[in-house]
Structure formats: C-alpha cells, structure tokens
C-alpha cells in the first residue's frame, strides 16, 4: 500500500464510521450480512451490526473448512508443563467443538445461558469457548490462577448454568488442583450452577460430586455433533471480568458480529498476518489477549494458533520461547514485556536463542503493560526484528494504538505505543475537558463511537458502565490511563490515573486488596498501592496501622495479610510486602494521601500537600519504607 494508506484509513474510519466498518464487515462471511452500523446497546455502550446474523464459532471453524482449510493445522498445544504436544486441523477442531457443543446442549445449555470456564491452558479450554459460542451461549472464562473467592464473585455475577473446569493446572513443577478450588468457590457462591463438567488430567484425579459433576470425556463421547446457531450480530459472545477500582470486577460484554469484524481486521492491519501463517500469543485464555489472539482472531483469519502451557523461563529454561517459535514456524509473536524481562534476567546474552532457527519470525508484539525502552532495545538488538509495542485494554478487545504494519510500516518510536488504530479517535483531555496540545499529558480518551470489537457495556450494570467510562467526559470513552500524543501522532501511555495497578501484565484493583487487608481483625486502617518493580512492572505494597490494643506482633499480622490476599485473590497478586506504620498521612478532612504515599514508596520526593494533617508523618513513612 502507499505511504498514505494509514492516514486514508484513519480518516475514512473517523469521517464515516458506519460506512467504513460496514465495508470491513463485508470481508467476512455472515449467515445474514448486516446493513446497520453502530447504535446504543442495552448494556450501556454501543453495538455494531445488530441486523446481521453470524455465529463466531462457525466463522472460525466451519467456514474455514468450507474455504478449503480443513487439513490445515488450526491449533497447536505445546505443553512443556506436561511434556505433551498436540495438533488439531481445522476439520478436527470443528468436529471436537461440534461434539462437545452437543454434549453441553444435552446438559440443557441454550442460547443466552452463561457458562463459566475455569481451566488451565489445555486444548479443551479452547474447545469449551468455541462450543459455548457455537450454541449461542455466553462464556465467561476465569483465569485459572484466581483463588476460589474471585471465582465465586464471578459466578455470582454471571449466574452460569454450567461451569467447565479441569482436575488440575501445572505451574512449573507444581500441580495446582483446580477441582478443590472450584468446590470451594461453589460453596461460597450464592448462585448454584446446575452442573459442572470436569476434565480429568492424568496429573491429578478430581473427586466428583455425584449428580452435579460430569466427566468431560464421557459428555463428549456420548454426544452427537451439532450445528452452529446463527445469532444476531449484537448477541453476547462472552463476558470477561476485569479489575476496576473496587472489589467487584467489571463484566465486559463482547458480541459475535462486531468482534469478528474487528478480529479479522486486526490480524491484517495491526499484525500484518497472512492466512495460513502461524500466530502465537503467549498469554492465558483467562485474559483478553488469550480470547482475542489465542482463540478468536487467528482462527477467524485462517491462521494456525499456538496454545502454550509453559512459562518464558524454567520450562525448562530461558530458551523456551525461542524453541516454540522455531519448532512451530511462528511468523509473529505477541506477549507481555514482563515475559521478556524474565528471559533477559536469566539469559541476558540470549545464548539459548542461538540453538534455534528463528528465520520464519517476522515481528514481535508487546502489550499488557508499557514496553520499557530497556526491554525494547535489548529485544531489538538480540533479534534484529521489529519490536512493536501496542496499547489496548480488556474493554476494547483489540489495539487502540499500534504500528499499523498491515497498512504501512511506521518507524518504531521507543517508549510510544504507536499511532491511533483506524477507528479509534484518541484524544488527550485536561481536567476541564479541553484537548491537550502535543506533548502535554492528560487523560487518554477515545471519541465515541468506539469501533467494532469493543465492549457493548458491563454485564447487568449499564449504570456502572456510564459512571466508569462515560461520565467524566461526555461523548468520550475514558480509558483510565494517562499519557500524551507527540507532534507525529505517536501515543505515549504513562500509566493508570486510578487505583488500578499492573503486576506482570495482570490488572489488579488496589481497592480490592485494601478491602481484604482491612478485613483483618487487627487492622485499623491501611493503604495498598503499586510500586515500580524491574521484573513485574509494578508490585503491590501495603501500609497498615494496627488497632490500639492489637495483641499480635507486626510480623505476625504482615504474614497473615500476605497469606490472606494469596488465599482470596491468588498468587498472581504478588502481594508480598506489608509494612506496619504508626499512622497514615491524611488530609485534614481525613482522606488518606495515596498519591503521596505512592510517590514516597517509589523513591520520589513528593511535594507536601497543603491539605496534609501532619507533615511529620511523611518522615515516619520514609523510615518505614
Ligand atoms: C492488552 C490487554 C491486556 O492487558 S490483557 C492481559 C495481558 N497479560 C498477560 O498476558 C499476562 C502476562 N504475564 C504472564 O504471562 C506471566 O506473568 C509470566 C510473564 C509468564 C510470568 O509468570 P509467573 O512466573 O508465573 O509469574 P506471575 O507473576 O504471573 O505469577 C505469580 C504467582 O502466581 C502463580 N500463577 C501464575 N499463573 C498461575 C495459574 N494459572 N495458576 C496458578 N498459579 C498461577 C505463579 O506460579 C506465581 O506463584 P508463586 O508466587 O511463585 O508461588
């Protein structure tokens, strides 16, 4: 394409969004093609293509088989964790999904019913998602690293008819038994699903509740394959929960039609892929990266996707990523910067890379947290490839800012996430709602309408959607991130402006962590916030004031708090540091000065706020840190 292709697409998408996206919609197959563009959705946001009819699982599987891809590998499961590898052609994956969908239908699953999926990185997790989609049921995948409480909260919000799970996951050399975690969540949850379907893995045998728990293989073996159910374009495909500023996660709702169009478009424009090539997103199906770029986009676009059940290091070594790329002929890889920081820490010279032929790899994509210049430069030097940061969110489902390599190759700007992807009109707004000039930092906002593929709204909470995303700047979507745009249109994302932190690419709510810490009987008050960490980007730190008369020692309380967060959220919270302090800095009206605390903990020298109750407290905190 010519060098103005990006501007031309961005201008057309901004000038007449409906015409632009209806044109893109015509590039995928539909059961009934849409004629309408965007309009308001009942979940609070916008929906696209409501008068079209499509089933995403059909588009990702049956339509690919029809198009002659039946014998092409659709899915590669590479599991150093279990020592197994498995490949599925499009025809085989279609058959497995159609059969499992038949089994789910026999268990009573109907269009619109919810299904919670709590699984490790096994092919059955992908099969489960696609089988739900095939029936028009709405899946809600819960990350397998979450503790029972987190799972229970999501079960209560989604109210699933079924829960699909497995006997265990594998973390390095540890077997994590999932079934006892699921049982605990089901005990805690108020909503009781009608049934569960459990995949027994050889590493651990789950005990089953007769009448409630069904054996996965038996369900699949006895079922007959069923056809995909065509659904309206705006029919919910999935709910994916993400952390907000409070303990209650937000249920992001995504659709069949708009999502399919966006997934197809992004494989071409954002990732520069060709159908038939191998795409690898090293993430987890429990995150949006896993939904979009392990499962849906690669299959909708006719690529081969890799599902990796392992880690960047210690499975077995820091050469694991290079092995997967070489062994499966990966064309483009996508992961979070923290994964490459882990590799760099263990193998700074990339000695282990030299054993592998990486000649097929064209590009590396990074997202999930800011790509720090040091990691960018190291990766670029070691691979000699384009190392492309891009920025997006669970809410958007695909890249808001990118280097649109499928349209034209823009030179990498280190530290920037790229330019606004066509369809996203990104603006930086000041507190008065005025647009900031180049280089001036403010709230990163997107002018509405958001393009297809973004959230329809929040599950059963249109009000929270409005207050979280729309109220601050009417006519815009508030991303929650702060940043600036330079003269060239490159977007720099500087971090969250609210109480959300990013730990190893995992979004966590400090509000939720505070709620858990505050519930300890010895804690009078507390503050939890993120501090910079070289490996994980950020780590949570808790400052705690004990109640007068508390009999436990500071060490005992700290140990219990760390254990409490691990038990209630999961090990992924990486909540390992608690400091007991005599008091917390507050405004005269009693509000804890969190921003000041965060700055102190990050080694900065914050200005003493004029509203502070007693400035001497800051020295006490410095001493404690
Ligand atoms: C663009 C839109 C988005 O942002 S979507 C989100 C994108 N984010 C990602 O893809 C996540 C990227 N991060 C990762 O994949 C991992 O953090 C990588 C880099 C692989 C490192 O993994 P790991 O060494 O386990 O560190 P961690 O910080 O993730 O884990 C901390 C503790 O939690 C545990 N954990 C992790 N996953 C699970 C799991 N599935 N089941 C059970 N436990 C899990 C880890 O084992 C670790 O435990 P421990 O503290 O060592 O005991």
């Amino acid at each position: 394409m010519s060098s103005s292709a990006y501007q031309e697409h961005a201008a057309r998408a901004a000038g007449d969004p409906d015409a632009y996206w209806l044109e893109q919609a015509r590039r995928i197959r539909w059961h009934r093609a849409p004629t309408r563009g965007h309009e308001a959705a009942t979940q609070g946001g916008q929906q696209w293509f409501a008068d079209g009819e499509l089933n995403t699982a059909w588009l990702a599987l049956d339509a690919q088989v029809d198009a002659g891809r039946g014998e092409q590998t659709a899915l590669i499961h590479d599991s150093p964790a279990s020592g197994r590898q498995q490949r599925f052609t499009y025809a085989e994956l279609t058959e497995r999904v159609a059969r499992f969908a038949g089994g789910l239908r026999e268990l009573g699953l109907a269009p619109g019913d919810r299904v919670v999926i709590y699984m490790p990185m096994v092919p059955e997790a992908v099969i489960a998602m696609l089988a739900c989609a095939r029936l028009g049921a709405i899946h809600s995948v819960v990350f397998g690293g979450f503790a029972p409480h987190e799972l229970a909260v999501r079960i209560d919000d989604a109210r699933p008819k079924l829960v699909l799970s497995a006997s265990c996951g594998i973390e390095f050399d540890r077997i994590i038994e999932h079934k006892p975690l699921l049982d605990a969540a089901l005990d805690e949850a108020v909503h009781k699903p009608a049934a569960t379907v459990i995949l027994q893995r050889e590493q651990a045998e789950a005990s089953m509740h007769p009448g409630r728990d069904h054996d996965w293989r038996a369900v699949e073996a006895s079922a007959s394959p069923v056809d995909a159910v065509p659904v309206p374009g705006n029919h919910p495909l999935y709910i994916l929960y993400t952390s907000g500023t409070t303990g209650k996660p937000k249920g992001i709702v995504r659709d069949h039609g708009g999502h399919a169009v966006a997934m197809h478009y992004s494989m071409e424009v954002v990732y520069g892929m060709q159908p038939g090539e191998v795409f690898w997103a090293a993430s987890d199906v429990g995150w949006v990266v896993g939904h979009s770029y392990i499962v849906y986009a690669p299959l909708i676009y006719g690529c081969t996707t890799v599902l990796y059940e392992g880690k960047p290091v210690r499975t077995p070594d820091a050469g694991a990523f290079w092995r997967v790329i070489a062994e499966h002929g990966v064309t483009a890889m996508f992961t979070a910067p923290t994964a490459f920081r882990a590799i760099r820490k263990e193998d700074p010279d990339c000695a282990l890379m030299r054993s592998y032929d990486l000649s097929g790899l064209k590009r590396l994509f990074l997202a999930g947290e800011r790509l720090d210049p040091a990691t960018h430069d190291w990766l670029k030097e070691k691979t000699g490839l384009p190392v492309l940061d891009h920025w997006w969110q669970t809410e958007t489902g695909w890249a808001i800012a990118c280097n649109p390599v499928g349209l034209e190759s823009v030179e990498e700007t280190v530290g920037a996430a790229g330019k606004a992807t066509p369809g996203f009109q990104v603006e930086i707004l000041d507190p008065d709602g005025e647009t900031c000039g180049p280089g001036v930092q403010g709230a990163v906002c997107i002018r509405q309408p958001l393009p297809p593929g973004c959230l329809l709204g929040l599950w059963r909470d249109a009000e929270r959607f409005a207050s979280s995303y729309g109220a601050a700047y009417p006519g815009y979507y508030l991303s929650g991130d702060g940043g600036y745009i330079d003269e060239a249109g490159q977007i720099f994302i500087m971090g969250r402006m609210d109480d959300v932190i990013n730990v190893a690419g995992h979004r966590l709510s400090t509000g939720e962590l505070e709620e858990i810490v505050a519930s300890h009987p010895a804690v009078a008050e507390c503050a939890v916030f993120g501090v910079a960490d070289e490996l994980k980007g950020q780590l949570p730190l808790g400052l705690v004031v004990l109640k007068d008369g508390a009999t436990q020692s500071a060490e005992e309380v700290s140990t219990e708090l760390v254990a409490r967060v691990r038990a209630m959220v999961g090990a992924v919270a990486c909540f390992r540091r608690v400091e007991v302090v005599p008091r917390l800095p507050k405004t005269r009206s009693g509000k804890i000065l969190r921003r000041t605390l965060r700055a102190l903990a990050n080694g900065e020298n914050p200005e003493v706020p004029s509203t502070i109750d007693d400035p001497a407290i800051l020295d006490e905190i410095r001493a404690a840190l």
Side-chain angles (χ1 to χ4, degrees), residues 322-336:
W322 314 126
R323 174 193 66 75
V324 173
I325 292 167
E327 219 166 292
H328 305 306
V330 171
T331 309
M333 190 221 174
F334 172 1
T335 193

Side-chain angles (χ1 to χ4, degrees), residues 208-443:
M208 307 285 268
H209 281 241
R212 185 195 73 185
D213 299 338
H214 300 260
D215 178 79
W216 190 298
R217 292 199 177 84
V219 166
E220 200 175 325
S222 63
S224 305
V226 293
D227 285 340
V229 177
V231 290
N234 63 340
H235 184 79
L237 170 66
Y238 69 75
I239 306 166
L240 181 58
Y241 288 90
T242 189
S243 295
T245 50
T246 66
K248 188 173 182 280
K250 300 185 215 175
I252 305 300
V253 182
R254 194 150 281 125
D255 55 346
H256 278 250
H259 175 247
V261 172
M263 291 298 97
H264 185 272
Y265 180 86
S266 67
M267 286 303 279
E268 182 177 0
V269 168
V270 179
Y271 301 106
M273 294 296 291
Q274 300 289 329
E277 291 180 334
V278 182
F279 191 79
W280 178 28
S283 182
D284 191 285
V285 288
W287 307 124
V288 71
V289 174
H291 282 58
S292 293
Y293 296 107
I294 295 175
V295 183
Y296 288 109
L299 299 178
I300 285 170
Y301 197 64
C303 285
T304 298
T305 187
V306 180
L307 180 77
Y308 176 65
E309 190 182 20
K311 301 279 176 173
V313 297
R314 291 171 48 214
T315 52
D317 58 31
F321 274 17
W322 314 126
R323 174 193 66 75
V324 173
I325 292 167
E327 219 166 292
H328 305 306
V330 171
T331 309
M333 190 221 174
F334 172 1
T335 193
T338 184
F340 278 116
R341 287 198 294 267
I343 295 174
R344 184 178 170 213
K345 188 161 171 251
E346 296 220 348
D347 183 19
D349 295 327
C350 264
L352 292 165
M353 182 203 269
R354 289 176 212 127
S355 331
Y356 301 104
D357 174 7
L358 303 182
S359 57
L361 184 67
K362 290 186 192 157
R363 293 176 204 102
L364 288 163
F365 292 94
L366 285 301
E369 52 173 332
R370 181 170 174 264
L371 173 58
D372 53 288
T375 306
H376 172 275
D377 294 349
W378 175 80
L379 251 182
K380 179 120 192 121
E381 183 208 321
K382 299 300 174 201
T383 62
L385 292 169
V387 175
L388 305 172
D389 193 5
H390 58 323
W391 168 65
W392 50 292
Q393 306 182 313
T394 304
E395 286 86 343
T396 64
W398 63 293
I400 305 165
C402 71
N403 192 325
V405 289
L407 296 173
E408 63 189 51
S409 196
V410 181
E411 211 175 302
E412 291 160 48
T413 303
V414 181
K419 294 190 176 186
T421 308
F424 289 95
Q425 297 181 69
V426 180
E427 289 181 32
I428 309 294
L429 301 182
D430 71 13
D432 297 325
E434 298 298 326
T435 303
C436 298
V440 179
Q441 210 164 309

Side-chain angles (χ1 to χ4, degrees), residues 145 171 174 283 288-289 311-312 368 504-506 536 566 571-572 576:
E171 276 291 295
R174 273 185 298 153
S283 182
V288 71
V289 174
K311 301 279 176 173
H506 308 131
K536 306 217 182 233
R566 195 176 168 99
V572 281
R576 295 181 190 132

